[in-house]
Amino acid sequence: MKILMVCLGNICRSPIAEGILQDIIDTKGLDWQVDSAGTGNWHVGNAPDGRAVETAKNHGVLIQHQKARQFSTRDFANFDLILAMDRSNYKDIIKLASSPADKEKVRLILEYSRSLEQDVPDPYWDDDGFEKVYHLLKDACDLLVGHYSSELINSKKI
Ligand code: 4NP
């Protein structure tokens, strides 16, 4: 499985999502890859926002080494699953899709969580929002791994 986490700036939500999923991949020894990107280009090359780094670190997840990049149409070919943090990111990614197969790969990450919310709230303008974002994403990543691990075992792909 190759999974791409996508938000707007690639400095707050998707780096935390990448870090959480990478941590689960490492702990479980899964043959999966995860990366993240932003639909916007303002922060390309930057490390994640310090508040995202701090929040993730408080939960044992290290993301300081990540560098922001912009989502590219090549990502449709390079990833099996493209997970948008909110409906606005979802629409922006779908606009770049060139086939039904591309569109099929795009999902809202909270579809996998137990939350009734559809959007991971953008914490950029809200210092207190990072902890909530972490917990929403942790729940979604845990359930996502459970979902695809059992699907792959059932289809004997692993
Ligand atoms: P993210 O948060 O999409 O979770 O990385 C944001 C980061 C930066 C901006 C907006 C959202 N910005 O407008 O610069």
Side-chain angles (χ1 to χ4, degrees):
M1 282 290 276
K2 291 186 185 171
I3 298 179
L4 182 66
M5 306 291 190
V6 184
C7 62
L8 179 60
N10 193 208
I11 56 166
C12 297
R13 292 165 293 176
S14 61
I16 296 175
E18 176 186 339
I20 291 171
L21 186 55
Q22 186 65 61
D23 197 50
I24 300 172
I25 289 170
D26 293 345
T27 304
K28 291 187 178 284
L30 298 172
D31 184 19
W32 288 22
Q33 288 175 28
V34 61
D35 191 12
S36 65
T39 55
N41 65 1
W42 311 282
H43 301 284
V44 168
N46 292 354
D49 185 288
R51 297 165 297 174
V53 172
E54 196 59 29
T55 304
K57 194 172 160 196
N58 289 342
H59 293 281
V61 174
L62 302 179
I63 62 170
Q64 176 65 45
H65 59 280
Q66 294 183 27
K67 289 274 171 286
R69 72 168 178 91
Q70 190 171 23
F71 180 82
S72 142
T73 52
R74 288 187 302 278
D75 290 319
F76 287 111
N78 292 339
F79 291 90
D80 303 307
L81 197 56
I82 296 169
L83 297 177
M85 297 296 123
D86 65 29
R87 284 169 287 179
S88 169
N89 308 145
Y90 178 88
K91 279 187 210 142
D92 288 339
I93 300 164
I94 288 288
K95 273 187 227 155
L96 298 172
S98 55
S99 70
D102 282 357
K103 288 183 186 168
E104 269 292 302
K105 293 184 175 186
V106 190
R107 297 265 191 277
L108 284 170
I109 190 166
L110 291 189
E111 277 182 34
Y112 295 93
S113 80
R114 281 167 287 205
S115 169
L116 297 177
E117 294 173 54
Q118 290 186 287
D119 299 328
V120 180
D122 185 344
Y124 189 64
W125 306 105
D126 172 15
D127 288 348
D128 298 330
F130 283 85
E131 191 63 21
K132 176 177 178 177
V133 164
Y134 176 86
H135 288 287
L136 282 170
L137 292 174
K138 173 75 172 125
D139 187 59
C141 288
D142 282 339
L143 271 70
L144 170 81
V145 169
H147 178 82
Y148 286 104
S149 302
S150 52
E151 192 171 278
L152 292 171
I153 288 164
N154 289 339
S155 64
K156 298 202 170 21
K157 285 188 185 154
I158 59 172

